[in-house]
Amino acid sequence: MDFRKFVLPCLLVGLTLLSQAISATGVERPPNIVLIFADDLGYADLGSFGAQDFKTPNLDRLAREGARLTNFYVPASVCSASRAALLTGSYPDRVGVTGVFFPTRAKDGQPAGHGDKGLNPDEITIAEVLKEKGYATICIGKWHLGDHPDFLPTKQGFDEYFGLPYSNDMGWWAGQPEGFKKDFPPLPLLEDENVIETNPNQRYLTRRYTERAVGFIRQHSEDPFFLYLPHTMPHVPLFVSEPFSGSAKYGLYGDVIEELDWSVGAILETLRELNLEENTLVIFTSDNGPWLSMGAHGGKADPLRDGKFTRFEGGHRVPCVMRWPGKIAPNSELDGIVSTIDFLPTFAALAGATLNAERKIDGMDVWPYLYGAVEESPRDTFFYSPWVVRQGNWKLMLAGKYKEVFPAPTSGEKGGMVTYDHPQLYDLSNDIGETRSLHAKSEHKVLIETLSKLCLDYQESLKTEARPVGTISAE
Ligand code: MG
């Protein structure tokens, strides 16, 4: 074979294609990924998103050194469904997880359902995709995708798990009001698949999760790693360790956020110390909007309407900051639509993993947008549910049952919730607070038909391309 005539040109073409591929994405080697997921933290609960009554200096630094995403969405406004979507890159209805799992089995005399179900082990999660590419993987914190051993993180691609398998109000805890949900077992703290403590002192959960996260990073400083840290806080009931008690003007809720911020700082400091900053993508966001009916124990979503449980912006639009020095432009604001369902295909692309094209997912690789290779987010359409869609700046809510939360009237008291069913249309470009529905205006008839068709097509796709929730038989 003539080296000059054949091998050399082939080599040059190969090198050119490789350098073009690198320059299009800027990625030379798979990054470590740290994904921190707060629970019920609202759109306005970070300093960089307008929080006034408590301080989040480490999260603000993360935003300064990276990007703030101001149109970032979770596809469900409750815990389990939001987590299922994040880990599978699919809408909740696609994977059969639309509500919340409770730790009750059919044998407990509870209605069949809740505790006998979990995210289907057949689903392909982010952890499985990355593990396949040699990543070390860990889940630390609130899992909430099924607490039966068949459904735990170790069955979904995570090498290790440490944390509470579901919400911290689904069990017994210190200071619990008399008669409150006593039918649940004592709250378990798990190491992999084993209960290592029951009813752990929740004051120290954030600290213990952080210590575990820092230890994991140190242990895997030579590997690519995926650290998924879904915090238990600031889900009610709120707990904080002593150094943070009374630290914020906004009471216990502010204290809890300041401890979460400390946790982020400890992780960032560890990455810096180990020289891993340049090769680590760090993301902080929340699983859904604030629990407004909890009064002073809930967060804020201003200027958005409403919060958790609802289809309004405050339920689904959450703060998101992400940093990867040298890749994501510092101090940038990205206002394109991006969702947690986009993480799986985006991380897969960064890790060089190929997804199975036969398996329908809803997420998109948004790396070219985050990296700045393209100006517009690839995502212009987002479904809050099969009946609610945003395209561009228009949001349509078809006629259906919609919840609206009444915030608590005074500190400490609980608010309430109402349901109504009229269709609504909002222009989010000049009505971010969803105060003026334009649904009745005749000039929007064609627009409403177009958006309705999106919902109907999506509903149709769920008939043929939805997968079942995981179910165990009664024991
Ligand atoms: Mg939540």
Side-chain angles (χ1 to χ4, degrees):
M1 187 180 291
D2 187 324
F3 183 79
R4 280 169 307 174
K5 278 191 178 159
F6 184 73
V7 179
L8 196 59
C10 283
L11 206 59
L12 287 174
V13 168
L15 284 172
T16 309
L17 287 174
L18 184 65
S19 70
Q20 281 173 350
I22 289 173
S23 64
T25 63
V27 177
E28 300 84 17
R29 53 181 274 212
N32 306 311
I33 297 170
V34 176
L35 175 54
I36 307 170
F37 207 43
D39 194 347
D40 296 359
L41 178 136
Y43 189 74
D45 286 338
L46 300 187
S48 59
F49 281 75
Q52 299 284 332
D53 301 326
F54 46 84
K55 294 186 167 51
T56 57
N58 292 298
L59 282 156
D60 298 349
R61 184 184 130 209
L62 198 65
R64 272 199 314 279
E65 295 175 352
R68 290 167 68 237
L69 281 75
T70 56
N71 281 273
F72 186 84
Y73 286 92
V74 287
S77 64
V78 291
C79 299
S80 300
S82 178
R83 281 148 216 269
L86 172 134
L87 285 177
T88 62
S90 301
Y91 284 118
D93 294 86
R94 182 90 55 210
V95 296
V97 182
T98 54
V100 172
F101 296 120
F102 287 86
T104 47
R105 306 269 186 263
K107 68 173 184 178
D108 296 328
Q110 301 298 320
H114 298 320
D116 299 313
K117 296 183 178 178
L119 179 65
N120 198 317
D122 290 343
E123 288 296 333
I124 308 293
T125 68
I126 292 174
E128 285 165 314
V129 170
L130 295 179
K131 195 171 162 57
E132 199 60 12
K133 300 304 288 185
Y135 278 64
T137 56
I138 192 169
C139 172
I140 302 171
K142 172 176 164 177
W143 173 241
H144 216 177
L145 289 172
D147 69 298
H148 186 277
D150 287 354
F151 301 131
L152 290 174
T154 44
K155 300 290 170 58
Q156 290 283 15
F158 290 98
D159 300 328
E160 300 172 58
Y161 174 55
F162 175 73
L164 301 187
Y166 39 78
S167 294
N168 64 335
D169 61 345
M170 296 175 176
W172 306 344
W173 68 86
Q176 187 176 36
E178 194 58 35
F180 187 75
K181 292 180 178 172
K182 285 279 175 63
D183 54 334
F184 293 141
L187 206 55
L189 179 70
L190 268 66
E191 173 77 53
D192 296 336
E193 292 154 32
N194 304 309
V195 177
I196 55 168
E197 287 174 39
T198 51
N199 196 16
N201 190 334
Q202 293 199 44
R203 292 190 87 161
Y204 306 117
L205 284 180
T206 298
R207 184 195 295 173
R208 293 176 76 179
Y209 291 170
T210 307
E211 286 167 354
R212 187 61 184 262
V214 166
F216 174 80
I217 294 171
R218 287 190 187 286
Q219 193 187 346
H220 294 283
S221 60
E222 304 289 321
D223 309 319
F225 61 78
F226 174 47
L227 163 58
Y228 172 49
L229 175 50
H231 275 288
T232 292
M233 296 292 133
H235 190 284
V236 175
L238 301 174
F239 291 92
V240 71
S241 71
E242 289 84 351
F244 296 91
S245 188
S247 63
K249 271 195 292 181
Y250 193 58
L252 182 56
Y253 186 85
D255 294 346
V256 165
I257 303 298
E258 293 200 356
E259 186 163 26
L260 289 177
D261 182 76
W262 161 82
S263 171
V264 170
I267 288 168
L268 295 183
E269 177 54 27
T270 306
L271 294 173
R272 189 198 60 75
E273 186 196 321
L274 298 173
N275 242 335
L276 295 173
E277 284 179 320
E278 302 290 320
N279 196 39
T280 305
L281 169 61
V282 181
I283 301 175
F284 181 96
T285 188
S286 176
D287 71 332
N288 50 250
W291 199 343
L292 296 175
S293 54
M294 287 297 164
H297 283 192
K300 293 178 179 172
D302 306 323
L304 308 180
R305 178 169 172 180
D306 224 301
K308 180 177 179 174
F309 303 117
T310 81
R311 299 296 180 211
F312 295 107
E313 291 296 289
H316 285 254
R317 200 193 297 204
V318 288
C320 179
V321 292
M322 51 177 78
R323 183 193 80 172
W324 185 0
K327 302 292 190 298
I328 295 175
N331 224 355
S332 53
E333 179 180 317
L334 298 174
D335 63 1
I337 302 173
V338 177
S339 169
T340 45
I341 55 173
D342 300 323
F343 285 159
L344 182 140
T346 301
F347 296 172
L350 293 175
T354 309
L355 299 175
N356 179 357
E358 311 260 298
R359 174 172 284 263
K360 168 82 176 169
I361 65 166
D362 302 289
M364 296 169 162
D365 172 13
V366 293
W367 178 247
Y369 176 62
L370 302 176
Y371 176 58
V374 298
E375 288 199 2
E376 305 280 326
S377 172
R379 175 174 294 290
D380 77 332
T381 302
F382 173 77
F383 292 99
Y384 304 68
S385 83
W387 298 270
V388 182
V389 66
R390 173 177 176 178
Q391 187 167 63
N393 283 313
W394 290 99
K395 177 174 177 181
L396 175 72
M397 302 166 79
L398 292 174
K401 292 268 178 258
Y402 295 113
K403 292 172 179 161
E404 179 155 34
V405 170
F406 283 123
T410 57
S411 172
E413 293 176 35
K414 289 188 180 182
M417 192 138 55
V418 291
T419 304
Y420 57 94
D421 62 4
H422 55 272
Q424 295 154 78
L425 176 74
Y426 295 104
D427 178 1
L428 296 173
S429 68
N430 61 32
D431 184 19
I432 194 175
E434 296 170 285
T435 58
R436 300 180 300 280
S437 173
L438 305 172
H439 196 276
K441 300 229 181 246
S442 57
E443 70 258 39
H444 296 310
K445 190 166 173 288
V446 173
L447 173 66
I448 289 169
E449 280 171 10
T450 304
L451 295 173
S452 300
K453 172 93 169 47
L454 289 173
C455 287
L456 297 177
D457 288 349
Y458 171 44
Q459 291 171 19
E460 203 54 39
S461 92
L462 290 173
K463 289 182 188 161
T464 53
E465 294 182 292
R467 300 183 290 271
V469 67
T471 307
I472 56 166
S473 50
E475 292 160 45

